[in-house]
Amino acid sequence: MADIPKFMLKPLRDGYSFSLSRNVASTETIVGLPRERKDSVGKVHRANVTYKCVRSQWQYFLAFTRAYEGLPFLAYLLLDYVDHKWYECRIVGDSMPVQPLGDQIFTVQLSLVAKPIKYDIDNDILISTLYQMTEGQIELYFQKLAKLVNEDLPDALGGL
């Protein structure tokens, strides 16, 4: 993946939407749960992202999209993981809607397909630790987590 160019702009959270792919085909049944089976491997996610660019970023955006038109590139996105990660992407669609704000700021919307990341559950430390805990330890863990999120963090912000 080192030879794939990296698109160095990070999209805005506003105007950011995506749909995650599933590698299964579902068949509805008359009663009960639908039947599911693996149907393929390597389906891509679809994302609609908005970039807000000042003039220098806009020049970079135009140069990058022209230089690598129709080719894969790496983009820093938030899709199937809790943190931003690099995804192999391609721009899809016939147009990229642009909204200039004066002559200094430009917003552009892209429709992307992004190759999903293989998730290695065996090497995920948090999940493997949770699986090894007893039921009482898991309950205590989530009680402490709830206290941290609901009580400690709001107090730490001092009413901001």
Side-chain angles (χ1 to χ4, degrees):
M1 273 221 203
D3 57 339
I4 299 176
K6 284 186 177 180
F7 186 60
M8 300 305 292
L9 297 177
K10 193 173 175 183
L12 295 172
R13 290 300 294 157
D14 292 340
Y16 193 98
S17 65
F18 58 93
S19 60
L20 299 176
S21 64
R22 295 185 62 222
N23 294 322
V24 296
S26 294
T27 304
E28 293 294 326
T29 59
I30 295 174
V31 295
L33 296 173
R35 291 189 180 134
E36 293 189 333
R37 62 176 169 77
K38 278 277 198 197
D39 107 340
S40 63
V41 177
K43 284 189 175 179
V44 293
H45 303 313
R46 298 202 172 268
N48 294 310
V49 296
T50 301
Y51 293 94
K52 187 173 188 178
C53 306
V54 296
R55 285 178 67 91
S56 59
Q57 292 170 327
W58 182 242
Q59 288 174 330
Y60 167 77
F61 176 89
L62 292 174
F64 187 94
T65 55
R66 288 177 183 145
Y68 300 106
E69 190 168 35
L71 298 175
F73 60 92
L74 298 178
Y76 200 58
L77 303 172
L78 181 62
L79 297 177
D80 63 353
Y81 198 71
V82 294
D83 296 317
H84 284 83
K85 295 288 180 189
W86 290 100
Y87 292 87
E88 184 178 340
C89 299
R90 287 184 188 251
I91 298 172
V92 293
D94 294 338
S95 65
M96 298 181 287
V98 178
Q99 235 181 351
L101 302 171
D103 65 346
Q104 299 296 317
I105 299 174
F106 301 87
T107 58
V108 60
Q109 295 175 334
L110 292 180
S111 294
L112 302 174
V113 290
K115 189 185 255 184
I117 294 174
K118 290 284 187 190
Y119 186 72
D120 187 4
I121 197 163
D122 295 329
N123 289 327
D124 189 315
I125 295 169
L126 176 61
I127 290 178
S128 63
T129 303
L130 282 173
Y131 284 159
Q132 294 170 9
M133 289 180 175
T134 65
E135 194 169 318
Q137 289 172 324
I138 292 174
E139 186 176 336
L140 180 63
Y141 172 81
F142 283 105
Q143 285 174 355
K144 288 184 178 182
L145 184 62
K147 181 182 181 300
L148 174 71
V149 171
N150 296 320
E151 296 172 23
D152 297 340
L153 288 178
D155 290 344
L157 296 175
L160 291 178

